[in-house]
Amino acid sequence: MNKPGFMKKHLLLAVILLSTNWLASAQNFRLQHFDTKNGLPSNTIRTIVSDSRGSIWIGTDAGLCRFDGREFKVFTKKDGISGNKIWAITEDKHRVLWIGTYDNGISTYDGKHFKPFHLNDTISKHIRCVGYLPSSDCVGFGTESGVITITNGKTEYHDPYYKNKDENRLLVISVQSTDNSLIFHTYYGVPSFEFCPDSKTFSIVRGFERL
């Protein structure tokens, strides 16, 4: 269920297409607007990310879009993605795309194939946001009620409020990357949390200072 403060981003999606190389030149450009009338599967855009291969990936509530500067290609569950509500996308240093869905967990894309990423049932599969820490090869997903971190292929689940029903669950709204950690910002006035892959610590932070 969507929470207050997360209003849908109804699309006026503006993609700058540059005259010679649409990702490199900054001198001559034209502005185009895209919606469901010319290629997008939904006017609700959740995230936009560019990858190392020169494509732009757009997460919508009706599938994942790849834009190559000319046209859109839409991918859905039938292509191997675990869900169609794409809320989070990042690329790691191995050029693997990590895709977080709000309706059914995580998928990966290696440039050829989509593959669902196995998660157990100890934490929410409603993915809201993602961050990546190249130095530790750590992907961190913020969910509706907790954090999922994947470091060098090892998956860990973090939810300090899981056993306390009187506490608000850990609803993450954004992920911030620092030099050696990921900081997960939360809703409900709950403090932010910092995950350090090297020390394997998950600690509370307020005002970006550890308590």
Side-chain angles (χ1 to χ4, degrees), residues 99-196:
I99 303 152
T101 75
Y102 189 77
D103 49 343
N104 196 23
I106 300 167
S107 296
T108 59
Y109 178 68
D110 62 4
K112 295 181 179 180
H113 305 290
F114 292 97
K115 182 180 179 181
F117 187 86
H118 175 72
L119 298 173
N120 63 35
D121 294 327
T122 63
I123 208 164
S124 172
K125 294 183 181 179
H126 297 300
I127 309 299
R128 304 186 65 88
C129 50
V130 64
Y132 179 62
L133 195 62
S135 60
S136 301
D137 197 19
C138 176
V139 185
F141 290 93
T143 81
E144 195 81 357
S145 56
V147 168
I148 301 167
T149 57
I150 305 164
T151 308
N152 293 318
K154 181 181 179 181
T155 305
E156 295 180 277
Y157 305 88
H158 313 270
D159 186 354
Y161 302 121
Y162 181 74
K163 296 180 180 179
N164 189 345
K165 295 182 180 180
D166 294 329
E167 293 277 5
N168 289 316
R169 300 293 296 278
L170 182 59
L171 191 160
V172 183
I173 59 175
S174 66
V175 186
Q176 176 187 358
S177 299
T178 69
D179 290 339
N180 57 9
S181 68
L182 295 173
I183 297 177
F184 298 87
H185 302 289
T186 62
Y187 197 68
Y188 294 129
V190 177
S192 297
F193 291 85
E194 182 179 38
F195 177 70
C196 298

Side-chain angles (χ1 to χ4, degrees), residues 26-100:
Q27 295 182 356
N28 300 312
F29 66 88
R30 57 193 177 94
L31 190 66
Q32 290 186 321
H33 297 276
F34 299 96
D35 57 20
T36 54
K37 296 178 181 178
N38 51 14
L40 288 172
S42 170
N43 286 340
T44 303
I45 304 302
R46 298 295 182 177
T47 184
I48 303 175
V49 171
S50 60
D51 70 9
S52 60
R53 294 179 173 87
S55 295
I56 289 181
W57 294 89
I58 304 165
T60 81
D61 273 0
L64 176 67
C65 296
R66 183 177 63 200
F67 185 62
D68 62 4
R70 297 178 298 276
E71 60 184 5
F72 293 99
K73 170 69 175 177
V74 180
F75 304 95
T76 63
K77 290 176 69 174
K78 67 181 182 181
D79 299 295
I81 304 175
S82 58
N84 288 335
K85 294 184 177 181
I86 313 298
W87 279 40
I89 308 169
T90 193
E91 185 184 34
D92 67 20
K93 62 184 180 182
H94 311 289
R95 305 182 79 185
V96 172
L97 210 66
W98 292 83
I99 303 152

